[in-house]
Amino acid sequence: MTTSQKTALVTGANKGIGKETARRLGALGITVLIGARDAGRGGAAAEELRAEGADAHFVALDVTDELSVRAAARHIDAAFGRLDILVNNAAVAAAPQKPSEAPAATVRQVYETNVFGVIAVTNAMLPLLRHSGAARIVNMSSELGSLAHLADPDSPWSPYSSVLLPYCSSKSALNALTVLYAEELRAEGILVNAVSPGYCATDLNRRTGVRTPQEGAAVAVGLATVGADGPTGAFLSEDGPIPW
Ligand SMILES: NC(=O)c1ccc[n+]([C@@H]2O[C@H](COP(=O)([O-])OP(=O)(O)OC[C@H]3O[C@@H](n4cnc5c(N)ncnc54)[C@H](OP(=O)(O)O)[C@@H]3O)[C@@H](O)[C@H]2O)c1
């Protein structure tokens, strides 16, 4: 590995949009670390990408487990010495329920992955990201996290968002995190953005999405590799800015 070789960590990269994001970063010649909580699934995804010519490695990472997060950071430090790109992609959803019927325990469980997991991973990886001259953090959000959409009863997402309080509000919180990290890290040249991949057919939605995971990965890859003049603290889809 040369010192100019970039390294990217994608959380939840064993399948879906995360795996496709890793695949595309790998195809660009970036070393990709497949963060996954299951060694079998993560190892298989890394092997699949290596067979295509990518420099891909499995990294054990359960974003809800602080010990696992810290161990992953230590491992990346020892093996690569730095991190150039972090894609906070891992997420879970809960079964549809009206807000009034969503148990707090369910909301807490979703936040453990979608919100607290992102904070734990970002904070653990920041020392490594600071060793990159031009680090990028991409948070995989959703239009379902847009407060503007949630407040609009005529929004095309309304039928979904009205029964997905845990997931939608976790992505609203993720958007807030994005802005706050972007502000703190702006002076260091670390660009932090939230993206929406669009409605993609993955296990998260029992493959009801209308886009492919490959299509969904494009916007994250673009911001993961954007130049120093790129945006920070933005919320973007392929079509441009999304209202907060
Ligand atoms: N699909 C869509 O239409 C859509 C739309 C907007 C935003 N998104 C966002 O895109 C991202 C990827 O979602 P997807 O659709 O590709 O879903 P997916 O196929 O269900 O993939 C989710 C990934 O997250 C991993 N994960 C879950 N909990 C984890 C944990 N505690 N630690 C580590 N990894 C964990 C899963 O691993 P396991 O295999 O071990 O469960 C899996 O690899 C998510 O942030 C999602 O919110 C998706």
Side-chain angles (χ1 to χ4, degrees), residues 12-18 37 41 61-64 89-92 113 140-142 167 171 197-200 202-205:
N14 54 283
K15 66 178 181 182
I17 298 164
R37 57 181 165 177
R41 293 194 290 271
L61 178 58
D62 181 337
V63 304
T64 64
N89 167 80
V92 294
T113 305
M140 200 67 82
S141 186
S142 168
Y167 181 79
K171 292 299 185 181
Y199 188 29
C200 304
T202 67
D203 289 348
L204 192 76
N205 50 37

Side-chain angles (χ1 to χ4, degrees), residues 214-233:
Q214 290 88 335
E215 289 169 332
V219 65
V221 171
L223 284 160
T225 55
V226 75
D229 58 347
T232 192

